[in-house]
Amino acid sequence: MSNLLFPTPEPSTIAIQNSDQVFPVRRIYCIGRNYADHAIEMGHDPDKEPPFFFQKNTDNINTSGQFPYPSMSQDVHFEMELVIALHQGGKNIPLENALDHVYGYALGLDMTRRDLQGQMKKMGRPWEIGKAFEHSAPISNIYPINQVGHLTHGNIQLKVNGEKRQQGDLNQMIWKTPEMISYLSKYYELAPGDLIMSGTPAGVGAIQVGDQLEGEIEGLGKLEVLVV
Ligand code: MN
């Protein structure tokens, strides 16, 4: 018998490719400006400064194939990203062991209310309101490393209505997967179920209702999302 005041919500889960099991999500860490050409398009110096992270809410995970245009924004952007899924956690994880913590990879979209994010940046306030909102983390199935290996290079791109808008290579990431895991684990205790959204290449832009987004990462499948 439970003494919970009300029932806990269903956990956010993500399908695992070629498996009946699902991946339960604990936290979603997102790195900012991890591709030099995107840092430049956002008006920043691409030099390797220490990484910075923000979080989305676990229940922002969206596996529906649809992205409802969010409230309170006139400028919602797509950011196509490789997502790293962890099945082991820890504190102060050394670089050499960091990849052992990776269960697999997925394609994800870091949907962003850019106008709200920009206002908050200008005022020196937290920009969570621009990043962590309902349905803001569309994601594909997770591809376990025993099916796809570790992804260190390869094409990452996003088409909108069939037209290529974002393109880069995973090897352009300023902070690599082991570095992100090791760095995060100095500040947080990582745990199984944590996701890391690894940043977006150049070409981010605004969406409209009716747009069909089609992300691709070499070695993984596709992520197709309709804006509704
Ligand atoms: Mn992002």
Side-chain angles (χ1 to χ4, degrees), residues 26-27 29 86 88-95 97-98 101 180-192 194:
R26 192 190 76 122
R27 289 187 188 164
Y29 297 101
L86 304 187
Q88 282 178 42
K91 288 193 262 193
N92 298 313
I93 298 167
L95 265 184
N97 309 343
H101 297 70
M180 286 188 277
I181 293 169
S182 181
Y183 189 91
L184 272 170
S185 74
K186 293 178 190 169
Y187 291 86
Y188 302 100
E189 181 164 2
L190 298 178
D194 287 350

Side-chain angles (χ1 to χ4, degrees), residues 16 18 24-25 71 83 85 87 101 103 106 109 124 127 133 149 153 156 182 211:
I16 296 170
N18 300 322
V25 180
S71 62
V83 183
H87 65 158
H101 297 70
Y103 173 73
L109 282 162
W127 26 275
F133 54 91
H153 63 279
I156 175 169
S182 181
D211 283 349

Side-chain angles (χ1 to χ4, degrees), residues 120-137:
M120 293 300 134
K121 272 188 195 173
K122 229 179 269 168
M123 294 190 284
R125 292 181 180 170
W127 26 275
E128 180 184 342
I129 199 169
K131 289 289 194 178
F133 54 91
E134 280 64 42
H135 316 292
S136 64

Side-chain angles (χ1 to χ4, degrees), residues 30-34 38 54 56 78-81 109-112 114 117 127 131 197-201 204:
C30 310
I31 192 170
R33 301 195 286 264
N34 201 27
H38 173 63
F54 58 92
K56 287 181 183 271
F78 47 78
E79 295 189 358
M80 181 63 208
E81 312 201 358
L109 282 162
D110 169 14
M111 300 305 292
T112 302
R114 191 73 75 202
Q117 182 196 27
W127 26 275
K131 289 289 194 178
M197 300 193 73
S198 64
T200 198
V204 299

